[in-house]
Amino acid sequence: MSESQYKAVVVGASAGGVVAISSLLECLPSNFLTPICIVLHLPPDKNSMLDQIFNDKCSLQVKEADDKESIQPGFVYLAPPNYHLMVEQDFSLSLSSEDPVLYSRPSIDVLFETAADAYHEKLLGILLTGANSDGAKGLQTIIKKGGDGLVQSPDEAEAKTMPMAAIKKSPSARVESLENICVFLKSLNS
Amino acid sequence: MSTKIEDIELRLLLEAIFHKYGYDFRNYSMASLKRRLLQACEEFKCRSFSQLQDYILHDMESAHAILAFMTVQVSEMFRDPSYFKAFREQVVPVLRTYPSIKLWIAGCSAGEEFYSFAIILKEENLLDKTVFYCTDINHQALNKAKTGIYSLDRMKKFSMNYRAAGGTSSLSDYYTTSYDAAIFDKSLRKNVVFSDHSLVSDASFGEMHFISCRNVLIYFDKTLQDRVLGLFKDSLIRSGYLGLGAKENMLFSIHRNAFEEVIKNERIFHKISV
Ligand SMILES: C[S@@+](CC[C@H](N)C(=O)[O-])C[C@H]1O[C@@H](n2cnc3c(N)ncnc32)[C@H](O)[C@@H]1O
């Protein structure tokens, strides 16, 4: 198995995101080693069970990110509700309760921008369904630093605003169906 | 602006702040600190961190405004109400057994957390035998804490939290209003010392029964977290308590074996003798 061209994948979604992300995670095989960090907008209730729900459905290890834990291959990290998730230069994770960005905490932009700063061109950003424009700026930063951007096709997304805002800001991002995004991800590891 | 150069400039900026003002931000979580300093750059119309450094070193007035960007001041009264509920139900009965109580709130911001504890201890009839030490590096915040005045529109959220935390009366019993301000009763701060103390560089306080340090450690890197947890260990009495923020942990710390999590979901630990 060859090394993937990416050291990490970051994913952002909002309205409709639970379904989209769970189908994305479900399609990945247990030998998909590239770590994945996810920001999914949720109501700020502190005991989200999403890590368990996703864990039951997919063969990767899904967990809520702990402050200062190092990013490991084969893991999927979720931003806890009401905290920003950031990637540090030493590839560990930090949480923060700074003010919301674009009314969102966790903010997709914050994850994408800090991850781009740590991984540069070795980063893949994926933006899925959502009813606001969080993530557009972050995806632009990823692409500016040499990484790649994938956007779920607005035609099939449950909420189109988020993918459309990203496409507008980053015309060079690839626009694909969720199914093709899965195919692409699976091709990375083989 | 290339990232590499930007990071060199960032490090130089933090050195400059340290040498000029004595504030040591060199071991803070860089991802978040860098974002805040980029915001400062925008605010002060600086093209680079080097330009910002010029202000910091040569323009006192801007320097103080820029320093305000370095710390995060987001807070609430009874933030994460279940933490305060657990304190009241499970820690207070133990504190009651001591002749006097010392409680340290490290990184107290504008005092929201202090007034929360003071109200609980008052309702539990323990306020008179408690001494509070409230510390922070942000002078503006400390001054605000000393006045106990908050904007009235925050009271709705604070009252909700107070009730969820098991409050036995109404939050409005503890403040008077004047225009759009809520002014907390000064009897709540009879036994409190507010002081400028940095967790990065200052020494431990002695013999604390309870230390609450919430939403401060997440802004520190692992090395600095270790220093601070060591400081707390040395400042607690035998089996004294340490409470952290809802998403703070000591999983990766060299001091993790010096503490045991006694109230699991609330991140309340106590010191164990080793
Ligand atoms: C997000 S606030 C937390 C306020 C409160 N504890 C709460 O949980 O709501 C973080 C506080 O830590 C303070 N702080 C940052 N660095 C510090 C240091 N080195 N020593 C002491 N306090 C510090 C900041 O000034 C700020 O007031």
Side-chain angles (χ1 to χ4, degrees):
Chain A
M1 191 169 24
S2 71
E3 275 254 304
S4 156
Q5 65 192 107
Y6 304 113
K7 279 193 179 154
V9 178
V10 287
V11 181
S14 187
V18 177
V19 175
I21 286 172
S22 72
S23 63
L24 194 73
L25 293 178
E26 260 172 75
C27 88
L28 294 174
S30 60
N31 66 353
F32 185 87
L33 293 181
T34 317
I36 303 175
C37 300
I38 300 177
V39 164
L40 173 58
H41 294 162
L42 285 172
D45 137 76
K46 84 168 194 180
N47 282 315
S48 140
M49 309 272 275
L50 268 185
D51 50 345
Q52 287 165 43
I53 295 168
F54 288 152
N55 233 330
D56 292 344
K57 287 189 175 165
C58 86
S59 50
L60 296 169
Q61 296 247 41
V62 186
K63 73 183 293 293
E64 192 177 277
D66 277 310
D67 181 53
K68 301 292 148 8
E69 83 177 297
S70 25
I71 297 174
Q72 302 286 346
F75 276 83
V76 178
Y77 302 95
L78 298 179
N82 220 6
Y83 285 81
H84 294 302
L85 177 63
M86 306 188 190
V87 178
E88 300 286 346
Q89 295 294 322
D90 66 356
F91 311 122
S92 63
L93 295 167
S94 284
L95 303 179
S96 145
S97 56
E98 278 158 90
D99 286 327
V101 178
L102 295 175
Y103 309 103
S104 305
R105 185 174 60 206
S107 148
I108 301 170
D109 282 341
V110 168
L111 171 65
F112 281 19
E113 285 168 15
T114 56
D117 208 20
Y119 291 109
H120 306 274
E121 74 286 358
K122 298 282 194 191
L123 182 67
L124 173 65
I126 302 177
L127 206 54
L128 306 172
T129 165
N132 57 56
S133 60
D134 189 15
K137 193 157 164 260
L139 200 74
Q140 189 184 37
T141 307
I142 292 176
I143 294 171
K144 209 168 81 192
K145 300 217 172 184
D148 291 325
L150 269 175
V151 180
Q152 183 181 16
S153 159
D155 300 336
E156 66 153 42
E158 194 177 313
K160 303 179 198 319
T161 314
M162 186 174 281
M164 273 172 37
I167 295 165
K168 196 168 156 214
K169 250 201 158 83
S170 306
S172 66
R174 268 174 66 178
V175 181
E176 296 286 358
S177 67
L178 208 51
E179 204 182 323
N180 283 341
I181 294 177
C182 282
V183 173
F184 177 74
L185 284 176
K186 282 196 272 193
S187 77
L188 291 177
N189 251 4
S190 51
Chain B
M1 186 156 45
S2 134
T3 316
K4 271 260 162 57
I5 294 178
E6 191 180 77
D7 288 333
I8 295 170
E9 290 179 290
L10 174 58
R11 228 168 296 153
L12 291 172
L13 173 66
L14 299 181
E15 287 294 331
I17 293 172
F18 177 56
H19 290 291
K20 169 95 189 179
Y21 299 98
Y23 291 115
D24 191 352
F25 293 103
R26 295 174 297 182
N27 285 95
Y28 278 48
S29 298
M30 276 308 139
S32 140
L33 187 60
K34 187 171 173 183
R35 277 185 62 82
R36 276 176 273 134
L37 284 168
L38 285 170
Q39 282 163 16
C41 273
E42 226 165 88
E43 177 97 4
F44 287 85
K45 308 213 167 14
C46 293
R47 250 184 316 107
S48 66
F49 288 143
S50 303
Q51 261 190 351
L52 202 62
Q53 180 174 326
D54 194 41
Y55 275 119
I56 292 261
L57 292 177
H58 300 293
D59 175 357
M60 280 303 190
E61 218 167 287
S62 310
H64 285 288
I66 294 166
L67 286 174
F69 278 85
M70 314 277 300
T71 56
V72 176
Q73 297 301 323
V74 178
S75 191
E76 273 168 27
M77 280 181 78
F78 302 96
R79 180 180 194 169
D80 310 309
S82 56
Y83 172 84
F84 290 93
K85 192 161 198 264
F87 173 81
R88 185 195 286 265
E89 289 170 357
Q90 296 176 61
V91 179
V92 162
V94 180
L95 295 181
R96 206 184 286 289
T97 64
Y98 295 107
S100 67
I101 303 162
K102 283 163 97 178
L103 203 153
W104 177 12
I105 301 169
C108 64
S109 193
E112 295 88 342
E113 191 179 347
F114 159 70
Y115 289 98
S116 314
F117 278 114
I119 287 169
I120 291 176
L121 291 173
K122 182 166 184 149
E123 290 178 356
E124 297 293 329
N125 290 319
L126 290 176
L127 190 59
D128 288 336
K129 63 169 190 172
T130 305
V131 179
F132 288 93
Y133 299 85
C134 297
T135 60
D136 206 286
I137 56 169
N138 188 309
H139 293 182
Q140 262 169 312
L142 281 171
N143 285 334
K144 243 190 120 183
K146 283 178 206 166
T147 66
I149 300 174
Y150 303 99
S151 127
L152 198 55
D153 57 24
R154 299 176 73 191
M155 291 307 127
K156 196 168 161 218
K157 175 79 181 165
F158 291 4
S159 298
M160 256 171 57
N161 287 352
Y162 166 77
R163 276 193 301 273
T168 55
S169 60
S170 158
L171 188 63
S172 57
D173 293 348
Y174 300 101
Y175 63 82
T176 53
T177 61
S178 165
Y179 301 99
D180 51 2
I183 305 164
F184 277 81
D185 189 351
K186 64 175 188 295
S187 71
L188 292 171
R189 42 175 199 276
K190 240 180 354 208
N191 302 319
V192 53
V193 182
F194 291 102
S195 73
D196 177 1
H197 175 282
S198 173
L199 295 166
V200 181
S201 47
D202 291 329
S204 63
F205 280 94
E207 308 282 287
M208 293 294 151
H209 296 84
F210 191 98
I211 298 175
S212 190
C213 182
R214 311 194 70 219
N215 308 296
V216 180
L217 290 180
I218 41 175
Y219 301 107
F220 295 171
D221 75 5
K222 246 181 280 190
T223 312
L224 188 50
Q225 289 190 355
D226 277 342
R227 183 203 192 258
V228 175
L229 288 170
L231 193 69
F232 291 159
K233 189 181 75 175
D234 295 339
S235 304
L236 284 170
I237 59 157
R238 263 190 63 198
S239 70
Y241 291 92
L242 171 64
L244 301 180
K247 295 296 173 196
E248 288 171 321
N249 68 71
M250 45 176 94
L251 297 171
F252 314 110
S253 171
I254 52 171
H255 297 295
R256 62 178 178 275
N257 294 326
F259 294 93
E260 184 189 348
E261 196 163 4
V262 276
I263 308 177
K264 275 263 156 32
N265 293 317
E266 304 304 335
R267 311 281 157 125
I268 295 178
F269 300 80
H270 77 187
K271 184 165 114 176
I272 49 182
S273 349
V274 267

